[in-house]
Amino acid sequence: MKKEWSKNNWRNFKIKQQPTYNNSNDLKLVEKKINKLPPLIFAGEVRSLKDKLKKVSLGEAFLLQGGDCAESFSDFSANNLRDSFKVILQMSAVLTYASSLPVVKVGRMAGQFAKPRSDDFEEKNGIKLPSYRGDIINDIKFDEISRLPDPNRMLEAYSQSAYALNLIRAFASGGFADLEKVHNWNLDFIKKGTQDKYLDLANSITDALKFMKACGFNKQNVPEFKQVEFYTSHEALLLNYEEALTREDSLKGGWYDCSAHMLWIGERTRSLDEAHVEFMRGIENPIGVKIGPGVEIDYLKKLLDTLNPSNERGKITLITRMGSENIYEKLPNLINKLQENQNSVIWSCDPMHANTYKSSTGFKTRSFDKILAEIEAFFNVHHQEGSFPGGIHLELTGLDVTECVGGSQKIKEENLSDRYHTHCDPRLNASQGLDLAFKLSEFLKVKRG
Ligand code: PEP
Ligand code: CO
């Protein structure tokens, strides 16, 4: 049974990783405005995502979640969004073809604006300023005014999310995602070898479609051939914003955070007696929880009792971000104990956040090989424990950036400065994303026999 809950009760709890707004009247005004704005997503869509995640929890589908570490106001454009959407479609085609499993596509998109930071302050050339906390809070420019938290940025984040969602919905169902266009999703800069592999796969899909057509299955009677379902997600960090978009469903009741279909709680804000868990326990959306190597089993059981007291299937995705060595050491016990306790969870792997380091050239980066090693460890452990490796959570973009080293383009530390554009953590580019999908599809194939 869920304890009594209201959408603003989180305000009575201790909270981490929040901005301090100078003008509380401005903040209240913005909250009031957002309260009146239309929801960005609808409860019915959340329910359809939950049905799909139920399948993931049963091992009958695979979750692909990915996008920017931090979306920004300045980099937003139709082309950038289209290209990130394309990579996810490509990766999903590769994974579906290899595993024969439907892929549930969830973008870190249309709302991924608030960032937890390791340090409250940033120091450069002897000047100390508040850290950048994401475009929904302050500006990345390094000067005093820019770093002041401004509540009006929430309105801009809302608008950009609405523009992005509008385009995503058009891409998903307006012909762009038609499986007959599988060749067109390719991006020019993808490394030749990877392109060839993808084109081979696209040809096989086209042949399969011809065969299906001959059997009487076509776009008219199988809508999945001409459109995809694509969902949005972000870290529910800035609770003033999340609360203002939380609405009661007029059809079936229950409270939905209508800022995105799926929300997650970050590694730094998931304490049991704090505001984020309090807020998230009351919403009907599927919830992700990031868990690092320090997580304890007793805590995890309590967290699941709090967030999912009825043990609803597909409700909770535990997103492990531990590093490959820690995965071997920690994950088996967590899986065993939750199995013993009959907790239903989806296990997803975030191979990005425990693999960040500073390059010799001074850039925050990640190595493709390390990322791959964590994914392989994740699959090995689940295979060994008899559980289902249900998903992957990636920071990636459709742009030709040079932020992570390795992959078939063989990006080196010396190349990082060429096109290093991220506002926060380093992302895989489209070529590296596709490289990863091919590797991942081998793991998925092997594990399914
Ligand atoms: C993130 O996903 O960008 C992030 C900050 O992750 P974590 O909470 O796992 O550190
Ligand atoms: Co990140």
Side-chain angles (χ1 to χ4, degrees), residues 89 171-172 175-182 185 209 219 225-227:
L89 284 185
F171 287 148
F176 186 84
D178 188 326
L179 260 182
E180 280 182 355
K181 308 245 170 72
V182 62
W185 302 337
L209 279 177
K219 284 191 243 181
F225 287 173
K226 63 169 188 228
Q227 64 190 45

Side-chain angles (χ1 to χ4, degrees), residues 224-239:
E224 284 82 358
F225 287 173
K226 63 169 188 228
Q227 64 190 45
V228 292
E229 284 185 28
F230 194 96
Y231 300 95
T232 59
S233 69
H234 62 255
E235 177 172 351
L237 183 65
L238 184 59
L239 295 185

